[in-house]
Amino acid sequence: MILERALPLSSINALLTDEREKKRLQDLIDRLDTGRLSWEEFHERVEDPLSAARLNSSVLDRSLLHLAVLDNRMEVIRVLSSDPFLKQKKSVYGLTPIELAQFLHRKEALYLLEPYAEKHSHPNLPVPDSFERLSYPIFESREHLEDVLAWTDKAKRNDQIPAEKIWMGIYFDKEIQKGIHAPVSIRYIDASVGYGVFADKKIAPCAFVGEYTGLIQERNRKQLKGKSYCLRYTLWEGKKQFTIDAEHQGNFTRFINHSANPNLGLQSVYWRGLPRMIFVALQEIKEGSQLTFDYGAFFWKELDQTPQDFSNDH
């Protein structure tokens, strides 16, 4: 019979010390995540952020890198951005630090986290150079992003999100994540209409066409007055209403015209904790046909205009 050897006292003390230090760091990250501790106070108590890098907050399962991106703390992001595991670590909502940086438009952080990221292609946009091309929507503030994540999570837990919306988010996951779109181009129609979006190749029924991107901000009636590129950002839960404004930031979908007999449907789908507004083909769309969707009564009411119908024959 082989007797188990007892650990030396020094090893036991070392283990206890490590466990106490882990608990101390865990408490600091939890307090940092809930706003009960400032970054300055955190740095006073933690000399090296790497020592707490693999710990996550207890409630939202966010790493130190998640928190650094949320607060745009570049000194921490620079230290932790070299760890591939941390960059792909998902929070309780299913978002990585890279995705948080995208949604919050943290350009400097994105450069550190994804220095070799491929630029997503867009059809040529006939807009000023100041227009910013976006493959994904961005939030006006961290508060808005946090609110939408919390409300969407509550809606999902309460089964308020239709199953088909969740399924569509999974089915079109690659297209949404990578900013992939159908083969289309933007063409000038005439002086009264302006530009429109046309199919460069045949588009199959139920195919993913693109996502409506822009700046997500709280809905304000005065702010919406006269805006032609604002789209309602659909939530399944929450006390506030939001819109996506593509006037200065967005992609080709801002040029899709209205029709009472559209060939596209606009869907709010559930994707990794967030609603994403995507266009899906309602029918086969022939090469050369204009893409259209029904703007809805709300849009025309806000603009105080009569609906202007553009047929697919342009």
Side-chain angles (χ1 to χ4, degrees):
M1 181 178 180
I2 301 177
L3 297 176
E4 293 184 0
R5 297 176 60 186
L7 285 172
L9 184 59
S10 59
S11 297
I12 294 174
N13 288 335
L15 288 173
L16 291 174
T17 300
D18 288 345
E19 190 62 29
R20 283 195 293 268
E21 177 62 9
K22 183 178 178 181
K23 288 182 179 179
R24 185 184 79 89
L25 293 174
Q26 181 69 64
D27 178 65
L28 291 176
I29 287 186
D30 285 341
R31 291 169 63 191
L32 190 64
D33 192 16
T34 55
R36 292 177 292 135
L37 185 76
S38 70
W39 279 98
E40 288 68 29
E41 291 171 323
F42 179 82
H43 286 311
E44 288 176 2
R45 292 164 172 77
V46 181
E47 185 175 340
D48 181 10
L50 286 171
S51 63
R54 293 299 177 100
L55 296 177
N56 306 312
S57 62
S58 300
V59 177
L60 297 179
D61 201 26
R62 297 196 286 210
S63 69
L64 194 61
L65 185 55
H66 280 102
L67 301 180
V69 169
L70 284 169
D71 288 326
N72 207 26
R73 302 296 300 205
M74 295 306 304
E75 75 279 5
V76 179
I77 296 172
R78 288 189 186 94
V79 173
L80 302 182
S81 61
S82 60
D83 189 332
F85 173 81
L86 290 178
K87 291 192 288 187
Q88 297 302 323
K89 172 71 175 68
K90 294 182 179 181
S91 68
V92 71
Y93 297 129
L95 297 178
T96 67
I98 293 174
E99 289 161 348
L100 281 181
Q102 290 175 337
F103 293 134
L104 290 172
H105 214 34
R106 311 285 200 215
K107 292 184 178 181
E108 189 178 356
L110 271 175
Y111 180 77
L112 289 175
L113 296 171
E114 272 196 313
Y116 307 110
E118 295 181 5
K119 298 295 183 183
H120 302 307
S121 63
H122 294 292
N124 183 39
L125 298 181
V127 292
D129 292 336
S130 59
F131 182 84
E132 185 175 5
R133 292 155 176 79
L134 295 176
S135 296
Y136 42 80
I138 59 175
F139 285 80
E140 188 175 40
S141 69
R142 170 184 172 173
E143 179 187 3
H144 289 160
L145 173 60
E146 298 265 53
D147 284 344
V148 171
L149 283 169
W151 292 333
T152 305
D153 179 62
K154 181 180 177 182
K156 191 170 186 293
R157 286 187 282 107
N158 292 338
D159 292 326
Q160 293 174 264
I161 305 177
E164 65 269 19
K165 304 292 187 180
I166 298 174
W167 175 84
M168 289 178 73
I170 296 171
Y171 187 77
F172 293 125
D173 176 77
K174 182 179 178 181
E175 289 84 351
I176 295 172
Q177 183 182 19
K178 300 293 185 181
I180 298 171
H181 56 76
V184 299
S185 59
I186 299 166
R187 306 177 195 172
Y188 183 75
I189 299 174
D190 57 39
S192 63
V193 177
Y195 293 90
V197 180
F198 293 80
D200 286 342
K201 295 181 180 179
K202 181 176 69 175
I203 299 175
C206 301
F208 180 93
V209 174
E211 178 181 10
Y212 198 86
T213 66
L215 178 65
I216 297 175
Q217 53 193 345
E218 193 171 351
R219 180 176 174 269
N220 183 307
R221 289 190 66 88
K222 291 183 180 179
Q223 196 177 51
L224 288 175
K225 190 174 179 64
K227 291 253 185 174
S228 300
Y229 298 110
C230 269
L231 185 75
R232 178 178 285 187
Y233 182 60
T234 303
L235 300 177
W236 298 282
E237 172 70 42
K239 300 177 181 178
K240 300 176 183 177
Q241 293 182 329
F242 291 86
T243 60
I244 304 180
D245 187 353
E247 183 174 1
H248 302 294
Q249 299 158 304
N251 63 11
F252 73 93
T253 58
R254 75 196 289 275
F255 292 101
I256 300 175
N257 287 315
H258 166 78
S259 174
N261 185 30
N263 51 25
L264 298 181
L266 179 65
Q267 298 279 343
S268 177
V269 303
Y270 175 87
W271 184 89
R272 303 191 190 186
L274 288 170
R276 304 292 287 266
M277 308 299 293
I278 68 170
F279 289 101
V280 178
L282 296 176
Q283 61 200 47
E284 181 181 289
I285 303 174
K286 296 179 180 179
E287 180 179 343
S289 295
Q290 184 183 175
L291 275 57
T292 58
F293 81 103
D294 187 346
Y295 286 11
F298 173 80
F299 174 86
W300 299 108
K301 181 180 179 181
E302 291 295 322
L303 283 183
D304 194 23
Q305 292 183 11
T306 302
Q308 302 176 41
D309 201 310
F310 308 110
S311 73
N312 297 330
D313 298 328
H314 280 102

